[in-house]
Amino acid sequence: MLIVLFVFLALSALAALVFKFVKADGDFTLLSKGPAKRQAVEGKVVWITGASRGIGEILARQFAALGAKLILSARNKEELERVKNEIKSKYPAAGVEVLPLDLASGEEALNKGVQEAESLFSDAGVDFMIHNAAFERPKKLALEETEDGTEAMFRVNVLGTIALTRLLAPYMLDRGKGHFVVMSSAAGKTPAPGQAIYSATKYALNGYFHTLRSELCQKGIGVTVICPGPIRTENSAGSEKRVPSERCAELTIIAATHGVKEAWISYQPVLLVMYLVQYMPTVGFWLMDKVGANRINAAAKKGNTYSFSLLFGNKKSA
């Protein structure tokens, strides 16, 4: 009788775990952390790149709600001013500064940006650097990528981001504290058919920033790498189910304020594939090999590029 009861309880627990996983929008570690820690960001200076729209804009609003001081960067100054004015209208006491910045502008321009960012708030330097800006192109085959396109994507997604980090980090080290939050991608954890170069830039970011953390963590520098799957924004296309951008921003701030080293944000099936590639790579890579060509065809037809049906061929990919 005790054995039967034990088996029943074990199966019930397993069923609950599977149900939770099916409905999850993030990895189990991330979802176990609870709400964002306001005390970790209140009064702190948060610098966000790509802050003129999308997730960057939403991150700015949510950080402002937690009492952070903001530096908003992107190439479009008018849009940055719009975001600033909208935040100030809702949170009149919020400290918000605009700092136009182009990650592809070269080290000299980026260094001037860092110096200005460090001086915008007289009583504090940058506490959190949110690397959100990124360049992405329409899906195409890996062998169709051009040298110019490859260089353009690496210049923004990797070289500019790394240069900005290298220039800002000494200021953080002098203060003995600082935190880099990197908006990477699920494409930096798993194969991403149709996004070879974008995926390569995200793998590069993951490798650099995880290594940076291991080198600087004992000197007060934290690093959180965020790996979102498909996220619903104002420019989203396709029929796939996407995590709302507001939820993505919320989970990003939770991860950052709890000091999570890496966080995955996605619905199924992307979350399942990430777990498989991480913990059962032979199975995960086999699965993505089955999906590859079908995903390209689905993208060309503007169909669902994140569906389990991609395993079964073109007829079910749309």
Side-chain angles (χ1 to χ4, degrees):
M1 189 66 181
L2 288 176
I3 295 176
V4 173
L5 179 60
F6 176 79
V7 171
F8 174 76
L9 291 175
L11 290 175
S12 298
L14 179 61
L17 185 64
V18 169
F19 180 79
K20 182 177 180 180
F21 182 66
V22 168
K23 297 294 184 180
D25 57 5
D27 67 82
F28 285 150
T29 300
L30 174 61
L31 298 182
S32 72
K33 294 300 181 181
K37 293 182 178 179
R38 183 183 181 94
Q39 66 272 23
V41 294
E42 188 171 21
K44 300 294 194 303
V45 177
V46 178
W47 186 6
I48 306 172
T49 62
S52 61
R53 58 188 177 89
I55 294 174
E57 177 180 347
I58 296 168
L59 280 168
R61 296 178 187 278
Q62 292 191 11
F63 272 116
L66 293 171
K69 302 173 183 177
L70 300 175
I71 302 173
L72 308 179
S73 286
R75 291 178 297 176
N76 191 323
K77 185 177 180 180
E78 290 184 0
E79 283 298 293
L80 290 174
E81 292 289 353
R82 174 190 62 80
V83 175
K84 173 183 176 178
N85 292 335
E86 290 178 2
I87 290 175
K88 293 287 287 184
S89 68
K90 187 170 184 179
Y91 307 103
V96 185
E97 299 290 345
V98 164
L99 176 56
L101 190 73
D102 182 356
L103 285 176
S105 60
E107 186 165 322
E108 183 177 351
L110 292 177
N111 192 37
K112 290 180 180 178
V114 168
Q115 292 175 3
E116 185 173 351
E118 281 288 314
S119 65
L120 285 174
F121 294 98
S122 59
D123 57 338
V126 177
D127 296 294
F128 286 84
M129 175 75 248
I130 315 296
H131 286 304
N132 174 69
F135 177 47
E136 186 176 3
R137 294 155 59 87
K139 293 180 177 65
K140 62 170 62 176
L141 292 170
L143 297 182
E144 294 176 351
E145 295 286 357
T146 65
E147 182 178 6
D148 288 344
T150 299
E151 289 181 352
M153 198 173 295
F154 267 86
R155 196 174 298 119
V156 173
N157 292 7
V158 181
L159 301 179
T161 300
I162 288 176
L164 190 61
T165 299
R166 180 166 45 80
L167 295 167
L168 177 62
Y171 293 92
M172 292 181 170
L173 287 168
D174 285 344
R175 291 188 290 269
K177 61 178 182 177
H179 200 117
F180 292 97
V181 180
V182 186
M183 297 302 294
S184 180
S185 171
K189 299 296 294 183
T190 75
Q195 297 174 288
I197 303 304
Y198 178 76
S199 177
T201 66
K202 296 303 183 177
Y203 269 93
L205 284 182
N206 291 356
Y208 177 83
F209 280 99
H210 283 309
T211 300
L212 182 75
R213 184 186 57 248
S214 71
E215 293 177 352
L216 300 182
C217 63
Q218 295 183 14
K219 298 179 180 180
I221 307 302
V223 173
T224 296
V225 176
I226 307 295
C227 299
I231 303 299
R232 187 173 71 240
T233 66
E234 57 190 20
N235 298 319
S236 296
S239 59
E240 55 266 3
K241 184 179 180 182
R242 295 170 175 261
V243 175
S245 50
E246 291 81 4
R247 176 61 172 166
C248 179
E250 177 189 359
L251 289 172
T252 296
I253 297 174
I254 288 172
T257 58
H258 284 266
V260 175
K261 294 177 174 62
E262 182 173 287
W264 304 346
I265 301 172
S266 184
Y267 290 134
Q268 304 298 352
V270 175
L271 195 61
L272 173 62
V273 173
M274 294 175 78
Y275 269 98
L276 287 175
V277 170
Q278 180 84 2
Y279 298 109
M280 302 176 66
T282 299
V283 176
F285 289 132
W286 171 83
L287 194 66
M288 292 309 301
D289 289 348
K290 294 281 288 183
V291 163
N294 297 330
R295 188 171 193 251
I296 298 293
N297 292 335
K301 298 175 183 178
K302 300 188 184 302
N304 189 334
T305 58
Y306 297 95
S307 171
F308 280 116
S309 65
L310 295 175
L311 285 167
F312 307 110
N314 298 336
K315 293 182 179 180
K316 297 184 179 182
S317 63

